[in-house]
Amino acid sequence: MLRLGTREFAPDEPVIMAIVNRTPDSFYDRGATFLDEPALERVGRAVDEGAAIIDIGGVKAGPGEEVDAAEEIRRTVGFVAEVRRRHPSVVISVDTWRHEVGTAVCEAGADLLNDAWGGVDPRLAEVAGRYGVGLVCTHAGGARPRTRPHRVEYPDVMADVLRVTTALAERAVELGVPRESVLIDPGHDFGKNTRHSLEATRRLPEMTATGWPVLVSLSNKDFVGETLDVPLKERLLGTLATTAVSAWLGAQVYRVHEVAETAQVLRMVAAIAGRAQPAVARRGLA
């Protein structure tokens, strides 16, 4: 059972995490949710469309203008508090690698810290343990925050993913994070080239076999764009195809931009797998 905030999710229950960027230079929406009202509208729409988790980020993942901890806190803390006020039951996640930010957002009501940079600040896990919130343990290949991979190599990329993420997960539990609130993430595109991300996807069963719930962050990423040779705004179909494969292979949490489309894909996969019933079944019965 995965427990995040006040919510519990069965092992075979797919969970959607909706991305809400509080940045003026997001790679995907170019700052569309930087201001409070558009961001709050995005949260409400995502919840209505089926998102159980809202993932709030104050710094874009890629290179760009320097954002210090104080500015990241300014962009996220008040917003976390307002989302908590408006949506008491939603799971609030904050995408950060800094322990100072983690402390501030936990005080404001966050339920989950999404450490996309693989424990580069080891004190972030300590914060999660102190507040008893969840933690996402990600493989980033040792990359520094906001850097792009350059000629990175692995003897076995999935072996490295398993070694890093399970060690981070066990350390988190030792520090007081509830075991049922820890997730592992292969870190698509983070410290990886496109072939690494594709291999990590097809080998997801090796991650699910560890017993830790697996989160995948696939949405509109470069590995999708390079695989299909399409620009950013044409990556939805590739993203949804990768989502379907990941669902079939056992991933549980999906960090996405397009919530409604993802929800349909996950329902379809669950029905094919026999874990869910059709919403309507009239054909051949009349």
Side-chain angles (χ1 to χ4, degrees):
M1 185 70 70
L2 174 63
R3 292 185 174 89
L4 299 171
T6 61
R7 303 284 296 273
E8 294 186 351
F9 305 97
D12 61 354
E13 180 180 356
V15 182
I16 296 176
M17 169 189 274
I19 301 166
V20 179
N21 292 311
R22 304 308 318 283
T23 63
D25 54 355
S26 163
F27 95 100
Y28 179 72
D29 59 29
R30 306 301 181 190
T33 54
F34 183 49
L35 299 178
D36 286 351
E37 281 311 309
L40 289 168
E41 290 174 8
R42 158 71 175 160
V43 171
R45 185 167 61 254
V47 171
D48 289 344
E49 291 176 348
I53 306 172
I54 301 297
D55 190 48
I56 299 164
V59 185
K60 67 177 289 188
E65 180 181 346
E66 174 66 22
V67 180
D68 62 18
E71 174 61 15
E72 188 180 355
I73 288 170
R74 188 191 71 78
R75 293 178 180 184
T76 56
V77 169
F79 188 72
V80 167
E82 182 60 17
V83 173
R84 173 54 67 225
R85 186 185 73 80
R86 296 192 185 196
H87 303 277
S89 64
V90 77
V91 177
I92 298 177
S93 168
V94 175
D95 180 354
T96 186
W97 74 87
R98 293 172 166 140
H99 75 274
E100 304 97 325
V101 178
T103 298
V105 297
C106 286
E107 289 286 344
D111 305 300
L112 176 65
L113 297 177
N114 181 11
D115 182 8
W117 290 102
V120 67
D121 180 351
R123 295 176 66 184
L124 185 63
E126 297 173 11
V127 171
R130 183 162 69 249
Y131 285 90
V133 302
L135 184 68
V136 179
C137 299
T138 307
H139 180 271
R144 302 299 299 175
R146 309 192 67 190
T147 61
R148 298 193 189 283
H150 179 67
R151 296 183 178 177
V152 61
E153 296 181 1
Y154 300 95
D156 182 327
V157 65
M158 183 50 75
D160 205 68
V161 168
L162 294 171
R163 176 183 63 82
V164 171
T165 58
T166 57
L168 289 171
E170 292 294 352
R171 177 177 182 267
V173 173
E174 291 172 2
L175 290 171
V177 180
R179 180 172 288 271
E180 61 273 18
S181 303
V182 177
L183 304 100
I184 59 175
D185 178 354
H188 289 80
D189 276 0
F190 280 61
K192 298 172 187 66
N193 61 33
T194 290
R195 289 185 175 85
H196 292 143
S197 293
L198 292 170
E199 181 173 351
T201 304
R202 64 177 169 268
R203 294 176 64 183
L204 279 174
E206 294 175 51
M207 293 192 75
T208 62
T210 67
W212 300 104
V214 175
L215 179 151
V216 287
S217 183
L218 312 167
S219 193
N220 299 290
K221 284 197 167 178
D222 285 347
F223 83 96
V224 175
E226 287 195 354
T227 298
L228 302 177
D229 193 17
V230 294
L232 175 61
K233 293 303 180 180
E234 297 177 20
R235 297 177 184 177
L236 176 58
L237 291 178
T239 296
L240 295 177
T242 313
T243 298
V245 170
S246 299
W248 190 262
L249 296 179
Q252 182 168 14
V253 181
Y254 303 82
R255 183 177 181 271
V256 304
H257 297 99
E258 292 91 356
V259 174
E261 294 87 340
T262 302
Q264 287 195 17
V265 168
L266 295 176
R267 286 199 298 271
M268 195 70 201
V269 173
I272 293 169
R275 297 191 299 268
Q277 296 298 315
V280 177
R282 302 189 187 98
R283 182 175 175 83
L285 300 178

